[in-house]
């Protein structure tokens, strides 16, 4: 454990590779230090899904599943829903294997941002119980309730009060059984926690919070409903699937076998890479070249020690600017614009990480690069870890794989997967949380929709009048049709027409 590690400091993200437009402004590096002792529904809207997901709770295999949303460019994280309380309230939370606190804003929060779901109303839940101050608090107390403060080295922080309540993983469609879990009720959010669209965070790291169990430990404690000790994350470019209690081979490409590597989980999830290869040729060798290597779904990019990052970047530039190249032109420091005929960065060289036991895990171009803005611009999804000599295998390494955390056998399983995709978040109101880029896209589409619909209705009305008149040569209109057809009704009107919209026609 390195509780005060700078490994996830956003201060380092002011560098060029991370100055990306998007709702979060900068890529996330989410593993914080440990908590300091003594410190303070039915889905609304439609879901556009690329691939159907079998989502119901599997009682026979005791596997709970939940949809994942988000992606690297637009969100910089992946997240899921929780249903909390006796009258379930939906709460959106980032899935983060690099931290352990599960918390979100509650009503009455003194300094919390505006998020996609309303603040949790704890008074509406009959099953909610504050955790009273006692010797077991392991932290500080406020108003007779155990409290917490979680700080991040770049300056963002959350603080709040501990409580227990019934929680269901995912939404109502998953039908997962509820479990009594320890949760954090934010009363203060700073920086990224304040500005993010998602309400809170669901830490899944294997360490406790001041002696309190994590939500993952609470789920595993429900042995009647959950096959304990295993969970998996299957990440697509957009969204994916979280499974607790097992994993689903139906998403594995061509029934590919799961590759298993040793996993340490005494605080964080750690693995031991022994080499980084490009097209089968080693760029870096030896466990020492990578330092401690964490698997962290709360970090957007994959971070390498400076020597490894420098060699990787140089090798990639050389491969793409000499010989046949990669079918792309370099744009800026870390981006490439594909040739007009290319639809993906398939001509870029494949990467692979080799682990203990010579297990080789492929890292294809559409994972170590991400689509930025338009479909032809692809940028590096790996970065320099600066003065830190360790490695963080973030979302960009996990995407397009089913990553299986087997805590019973201390192994990490990886399989190439076509994970289910979800692009539109249920209940998220477009425009309210839209990025500037999204807003620019919506305007012309909305204009075309209104104008096109209006034109169609005008033609339809004309035809209807002609039919009613029986081919009349003269038509006296006693009223006028509102120009607000297919828009919001005028004040005082009950529909798309003005109150005086009757017509009479006489034939000759």
């Amino acid at each position: 454990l390195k509780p005060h590690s700078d490994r996830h400091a956003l201060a380092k993200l002011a560098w060029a590779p991370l100055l990306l437009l998007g709702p979060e402004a900068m890529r996330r590096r989410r593993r914080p230090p440990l908590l300091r002792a003594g410190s303070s529904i039915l889905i609304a809207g439609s879901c556009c899904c690329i691939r159907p997901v079998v989502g119901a709770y599997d009682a026979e295999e005791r596997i709970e599943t939940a949809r994942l949303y988000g992606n690297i460019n637009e969100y910089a994280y992946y997240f899921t829903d929780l249903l909390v309380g006796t009258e379930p309230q939906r709460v959106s939370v980032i899935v983060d294997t690099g931290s352990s606190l599960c918390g979100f804003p509650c009503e009455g929060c003194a300094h919390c941002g505006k998020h996609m779901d309303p603040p949790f109303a704890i008074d509406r839940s009959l099953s909610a119980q504050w955790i009273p101050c006692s010797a077991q608090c392991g932290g500080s107390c406020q108003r007779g309730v155990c409290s917490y403060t979680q700080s991040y080295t770049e300056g963002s922080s959350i603080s709040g009060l501990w409580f227990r309540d019934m929680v269901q993983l995912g939404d109502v469609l998953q039908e997962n059984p509820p479990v009594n879990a320890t949760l954090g009720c934010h009363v203060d959010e700073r920086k990224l926690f304040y500005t993010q669209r998602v309400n809170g965070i669901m830490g899944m790291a294997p360490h406790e919070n001041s002696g309190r169990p994590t939500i993952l430990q609470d789920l595993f404690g429900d042995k009647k409903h959950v096959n304990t000790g295993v969970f998996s994350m299957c990440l697509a470019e957009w969204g994916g699937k979280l499974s607790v209690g097992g994993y689903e081979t139906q998403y594995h490409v061509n029934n590919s076998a799961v590759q298993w590597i040793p996993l340490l989980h005494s605080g964080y999830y750690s693995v031991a890479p022994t080499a980084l290869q490009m097209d089968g040729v080693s760029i870096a060798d030896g466990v020492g070249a990578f330092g401690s290597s964490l698997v962290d779904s709360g970090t957007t990019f994959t971070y390498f020690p400076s020597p490894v990052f420098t060699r990787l970047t140089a090798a990639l530039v050389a491969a793409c600017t000499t010989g046949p190249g990669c079918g792309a032109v370099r744009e800026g420091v870390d981006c490439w614009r594909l040739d007009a005929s290319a639809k993906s960065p398939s001509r870029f060289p494949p990467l692979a990480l080799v682990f203990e036991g010579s297990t080789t895990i492929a890292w294809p171009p559409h994972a170590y690069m991400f689509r930025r803005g338009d479909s032809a611009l692809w940028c590096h999804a790996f970065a320099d870890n600066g003065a830190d000599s360790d490695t963080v295998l973030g979302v960009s390494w996990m995407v397009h794989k089913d990553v299986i955390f087997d805590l019973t056998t201390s192994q990490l399983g990886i399989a190439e997967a076509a994970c289910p995709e979800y692009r539109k978040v249920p209940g998220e109101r477009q425009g309210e949380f839209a990025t500037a880029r999204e807003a620019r896209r919506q305007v012309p589409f909305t204009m075309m929709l209104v104008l096109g619909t209006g034109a169609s209705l005008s033609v339809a009305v004309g035809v209807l009048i002609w039919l009613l008149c029986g081919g009349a040569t003269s038509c006296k209109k006693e009223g006028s049709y509102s120009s607000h057809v297919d828009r919001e009704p005028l004040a005082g009107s009950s529909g798309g027409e003005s109150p005086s919209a009757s017509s009479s026609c006489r034939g000759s």
Side-chain angles (χ1 to χ4, degrees):
L1 289 178
K2 296 184 179 179
H4 300 291
S5 168
D6 190 45
R7 187 178 294 111
H8 290 240
L10 273 172
K12 290 184 286 189
L13 304 190
W15 298 348
L18 304 182
L19 294 177
L20 305 178
L21 293 176
E24 303 305 326
M26 292 186 291
R27 307 300 91 185
R28 286 180 176 254
R29 312 187 69 186
R30 265 299 188 193
R31 189 179 62 80
L34 297 178
L35 286 174
R36 299 195 304 270
S39 66
S40 47
I41 258 183
L42 197 59
I43 305 259
S46 61
C47 178
C48 177
C49 106
I50 303 302
R51 172 175 174 167
V53 177
V54 179
Y57 167 65
D58 189 335
E60 183 176 347
E61 297 294 333
R62 293 182 296 156
I63 298 176
E64 298 187 14
T65 60
R67 299 170 183 169
L68 295 175
Y69 305 98
N71 84 328
I72 289 178
N73 186 51
E74 295 291 334
Y75 286 88
Y77 50 75
Y78 286 72
F79 62 99
T80 190
D81 291 326
L82 298 176
L83 296 177
V84 184
T86 46
E87 294 183 11
Q89 301 171 52
R90 191 182 67 200
V91 177
S92 52
V93 287
I94 296 171
V95 288
D96 183 11
T97 60
S99 67
S100 59
L101 185 149
C102 180
F104 37 81
C106 290
E107 280 189 349
C109 175
H111 190 271
C112 287
K114 189 174 184 180
H115 307 295
M116 65 174 61
D117 293 313
F120 180 69
I122 195 166
D123 292 341
R124 283 173 44 195
S125 177
L126 299 177
S127 54
Q129 292 183 325
W130 294 111
I131 298 178
C133 291
S134 67
Q136 299 179 347
C137 259
S140 62
C141 286
Q142 295 181 22
R143 293 172 284 178
V145 177
C146 292
S147 61
Y148 60 87
T149 292
Q150 180 83 73
S151 297
Y152 293 75
T153 51
E154 95 292 346
S156 68
S157 65
I158 45 178
S159 60
L161 305 174
W162 291 113
F163 73 104
R164 291 191 67 86
D165 206 345
M166 302 305 293
V167 178
Q168 289 175 264
L169 183 65
D171 54 57
V172 292
L173 297 180
Q174 270 72 67
E175 300 178 346
N176 291 318
V179 62
N180 193 264
T182 301
L183 304 167
C185 175
H186 297 346
V187 297
D188 188 89
E189 297 177 328
R190 299 289 165 170
K191 297 199 173 179
L192 284 182
F193 280 105
Y194 186 88
T195 59
Q196 69 185 26
R197 287 186 271 181
V198 172
N199 285 53
I201 190 166
M202 183 172 72
M204 304 178 72
H207 63 255
E208 297 182 342
N209 293 291
S210 301
R212 306 206 171 282
T214 66
I215 189 170
L216 188 61
Q217 291 168 333
D218 285 326
L219 288 170
F220 284 155
D222 183 15
K223 294 180 171 56
K224 178 180 178 181
H225 298 108
V226 178
N227 184 13
T228 61
V230 180
F231 72 95
S232 65
M233 296 177 65
C234 193
L235 301 182
E237 182 178 359
W238 283 88
K241 192 170 186 181
L242 170 67
S243 300
V244 177
Y247 58 95
E248 298 181 76
T249 59
Q250 62 177 315
Y251 302 119
H252 297 180
V253 175
N254 299 324
N255 295 318
S256 59
V258 178
Q259 296 176 279
W260 297 97
I261 58 178
L263 175 69
L264 296 177
H265 49 92
S266 58
Y268 296 98
Y269 301 112
S270 302
V271 292
T274 58
L276 174 63
Q277 299 177 345
M278 177 182 289
D279 255 340
V281 178
S282 288
I283 297 172
D285 287 294
V287 175
F290 301 94
S292 299
S293 299
L294 306 182
V295 182
D296 184 2
S297 65
T299 293
T300 313
F301 291 164
T302 292
Y303 288 82
F304 293 109
S306 288
V308 177
F309 168 77
T310 301
R311 289 196 290 269
L312 172 57
T313 303
L316 185 60
V317 170
C320 293
T321 55
T322 60
C326 301
V329 176
R330 195 176 185 187
E331 189 167 303
V333 177
D334 62 340
C335 294
W336 302 82
R337 185 165 294 279
L338 304 184
D339 295 344
S341 59
K343 295 183 179 180
S344 71
S346 57
R347 291 175 58 185
F348 280 72
L351 300 180
L353 275 171
V354 182
F355 293 87
E356 292 177 284
S358 299
T359 302
T360 301
I361 305 297
W363 194 16
H366 65 295
Y368 71 75
M369 302 180 73
F370 72 99
R371 204 189 315 261
R372 178 179 170 184
D374 64 79
S375 59
L377 187 64
W378 289 73
C379 300
H380 302 168
F382 55 87
D384 191 342
N385 214 9
D388 198 323
S389 60
D390 295 333
T391 299
V392 182
L393 302 177
V395 163
S396 65
W397 183 76
M398 300 173 68
V399 72
H400 304 304
K401 299 180 180 72
D402 191 12
V403 182
I404 306 157
F405 298 78
D406 190 337
L407 310 187
T408 60
T409 62
S410 297
Q411 293 187 102
L412 186 74
I414 297 104
E416 182 186 358
C419 304
E421 288 201 354
Y422 286 88
R423 288 181 179 265
K424 184 178 178 183
V425 182
E428 182 171 1
R429 295 172 294 282
Q430 280 192 338
E432 189 168 339
F433 299 99
T435 64
R437 183 166 57 249
E438 288 170 336
R440 286 195 297 270
R441 284 200 299 263
Q442 291 167 6
V443 170
F445 174 77
T446 304
M447 290 178 64
M448 288 189 293
L449 178 64
V450 171
L451 292 175
T453 306
S456 299
L457 285 173
S458 298
V459 172
V461 168
V463 172
L464 179 61
I465 292 173
W466 184 86
L467 289 173
L468 290 174
C469 292
T473 58
S474 64
C475 180
K476 176 183 177 184
K477 293 184 68 176
E478 296 178 348
S480 61
Y481 285 92
S482 168
S483 62
H484 290 259
V485 175
D486 202 42
R487 296 189 179 100
E488 291 296 320
L490 294 172
S493 173
S494 59
E497 299 177 357
S498 65
S500 57
S502 61
S503 301
S504 63
C505 295
R506 294 193 182 100
S508 55

